[in-house]
Amino acid sequence: MSEEQTLLQPYSKGNFETKNRVVMAPMTRSRADNPENKPTEGLQPVYYRIRSTAGLIITEGSQVSERAVGYINTPGIHSEEQVAGWKKVTESVHEEGGKIYIQLWHVGRMSHPDFHNGELPLAPSALNPNAQSFTPEGMKDTVTPKAMTKEEIRETVEEFRMAARNAVKAGFDGVEIHSSNGYLFHQFFNSTSNIRTDEYGGSIENRTRFFFEVLDAIKKEIPEQQIGARFNPSLHNLFGITMDENTIPTFEYIIKRLNEYELAYIHLSEPFTDVSEIPYAVKEIAKHFRPLYKGTLIINGDFDQEKGNKVIEDGYADLVAFGKPYISNPDLVARFREGIPLTDWDKDTFYTPGKEGYLDYEIKAEI
């Protein structure tokens, strides 16, 4: 395919601009294997720099506090050391003319007491997701979490606000709220994981209240035109989430309400599993939610070059986020442009320490 393909065209809406429509999706890589859980010098700055031809890079999830962590060796954005580590990443990307947002993350009940000195992880309700957490001692079953008090909810809102402030200090172009994939916000959204009876549970408005409180808090630190949010509406039987008849109406409410803001974008995922037999699931996320949202829409989920071009040409999305292809093809944009076949990724090195499977994939196209 040539330069004329849609994925390679620049994009602009409001104050959000990208040099092409190829987005590097956020992906946990577990390379922050240091006592400070900061980006590791010599690893993350290089990893992101060589992918700077993407229209937008969204970093791996970065925990907003110690309480937010739930996976081994993930970088945070709540300490001075972490801010300094991320600053080296943003500088390396900007030197190459790239654009980079940080994904702000709180895993909620998907964590494990091993990360919290034996204390229970926080969640909207004391319901075990019956999943597994990747701890320093390997995969362990999740536990019944602690239902957050209203004070803990307020504290968590403040943690996200401070994380956004730190993101600005670190030089990021924007932030993405990780409100997806069974983590804390998704746990509040879902009526099978949120059985609260106060103003944070019950109705759709109540179950989404925490998210909008966080969004409004982050707006105090960074313009809303530099804020994105990620959602996975048809997630089912993964990460402790089970869909029910309230699920899609909840996400429809969220997406419609976000029209009242001037966000950089919303970032949606197509179903991770086959939901064709789930009567209340949406099988085609971009097609369903595009008419509901007037702003920029990024879509993600097993797209290749052909499908990526088509979803934009069909008018269902503005940009396409690629995950695993970006692991093994740091020159993805150039490969799309020059028609070079993609390199397969190695699952065994997705979450292992060091350079192997991280910095050693060959660059075959001229970046």
Side-chain angles (χ1 to χ4, degrees):
M1 294 186 182
S2 70
E3 288 275 5
E4 298 303 315
Q5 62 183 293
T6 312
L7 279 169
L8 300 184
Q9 297 304 304
Y11 176 78
S12 176
K13 190 177 183 69
N15 293 331
F16 183 72
E17 298 180 356
T18 59
K19 57 192 175 186
N20 56 60
R21 297 170 185 243
V22 178
V23 176
M24 178 178 166
M27 292 174 287
T28 297
R29 300 304 310 277
S30 297
R31 257 54 180 205
D33 52 334
N34 55 72
E36 297 84 12
N37 286 132
K38 63 181 180 180
T40 303
E41 192 164 359
L43 286 182
Q44 274 99 336
V46 180
Y47 174 76
Y48 287 110
R49 177 181 60 78
I50 61 179
R51 290 162 174 80
S52 296
T53 51
L56 173 66
I57 292 172
I58 307 170
T59 74
E60 62 214 277
S62 191
Q63 57 263 13
V64 299
S65 68
E66 292 285 353
R67 298 192 302 190
V69 69
Y71 289 82
I72 187 173
N73 297 335
T74 54
I77 185 64
H78 55 85
S79 73
E80 291 182 8
E81 294 83 4
Q82 292 163 353
V83 170
W86 278 120
K87 191 170 182 61
K88 293 179 180 179
V89 172
T90 62
E91 288 174 346
S92 68
V93 170
H94 291 152
E95 286 171 2
E96 298 295 328
K99 185 171 190 171
I100 184 168
Y101 277 37
I102 187 171
Q103 190 184 64
L104 304 181
W105 195 25
H106 193 308
V107 308
R109 67 179 189 170
M110 289 299 293
S111 188
H112 191 277
D114 286 3
F115 289 109
H116 308 291
N117 298 313
E119 296 293 321
L120 295 175
L122 299 179
S125 301
L127 297 171
N128 190 335
N130 296 313
Q132 287 197 315
S133 176
F134 187 13
T135 79
E137 297 179 0
M139 300 302 291
K140 289 189 177 182
D141 291 341
T142 55
V143 301
T144 300
K146 178 184 184 296
M148 297 170 75
T149 64
K150 292 181 184 179
E151 178 60 26
E152 286 168 333
I153 291 176
R154 286 191 289 270
E155 291 169 355
T156 305
V157 171
E158 179 66 9
E159 288 170 356
F160 272 92
R161 185 182 70 81
M162 291 304 298
R165 175 179 292 186
N166 286 338
V168 173
K169 290 180 181 177
F172 283 99
D173 299 298
V175 302
E176 178 179 280
I177 304 171
H178 195 356
S179 33
S180 186
N181 295 2
Y183 299 124
L184 186 61
F185 292 104
H186 205 154
Q187 293 159 27
F188 270 90
F189 298 157
N190 197 282
S191 56
T192 65
S193 53
N194 178 356
I195 56 172
R196 299 177 73 98
T197 57
D198 61 8
E199 63 266 37
Y200 293 96
S203 68
I204 288 176
E205 183 178 7
N206 284 355
R207 285 184 281 108
T208 59
R209 186 183 306 277
F210 171 56
F211 169 80
F212 284 102
E213 287 181 349
V214 167
L215 175 55
D216 289 338
I218 288 176
K219 280 174 50 182
K220 297 176 181 177
E221 302 296 336
I222 187 170
E224 62 186 70
Q225 297 90 347
Q226 295 169 249
I227 303 171
R230 192 180 195 201
F231 305 98
N232 193 337
S234 283
L235 185 73
H236 183 66
N237 283 343
L238 279 177
F239 305 111
I241 293 295
T242 303
M243 293 187 72
D244 65 9
E245 64 276 6
N246 298 313
T247 301
I248 295 302
T250 299
F251 284 102
E252 290 173 340
Y253 170 84
I254 294 169
I255 301 307
K256 289 177 182 178
R257 185 171 168 186
L258 286 175
N259 284 316
E260 300 171 11
Y261 295 77
E262 295 182 18
L263 297 189
Y265 61 81
I266 61 168
H267 182 182
L268 303 180
S269 295
E270 295 291 349
F272 283 2
T273 57
D274 182 6
V275 294
S276 58
E277 301 302 317
I278 310 299
Y280 30 75
V282 167
K283 286 74 175 177
E284 297 179 280
I285 293 296
K287 188 174 183 179
H288 180 85
F289 284 95
R290 170 75 282 179
L292 305 184
Y293 188 63
K294 66 183 181 182
T296 297
L297 192 156
I298 300 174
I299 191 63
N300 168 258
D302 289 330
F303 282 90
D304 58 17
Q305 184 178 4
E306 182 179 357
K307 292 178 182 177
N309 279 302
K310 189 175 189 305
V311 74
I312 298 173
E313 290 163 3
D314 288 345
Y316 298 137
D318 300 302
L319 301 96
V320 179
F322 296 86
K324 291 188 285 291
Y326 250 123
I327 290 177
S328 51
N329 301 276
D331 52 349
L332 187 64
V333 171
R335 293 197 188 208
F336 283 172
R337 183 180 62 242
E338 299 177 21
I340 296 175
L342 301 190
T343 298
D344 292 335
W345 50 83
D346 177 12
K347 290 182 180 180
D348 293 338
T349 57
F350 278 1
Y351 311 112
T352 53
K355 296 181 179 180
E356 185 181 0
Y358 195 67
L359 299 183
D360 55 358
Y361 285 107
E362 184 179 0
I363 296 175
K364 295 185 177 181
E366 184 176 344
I367 297 182

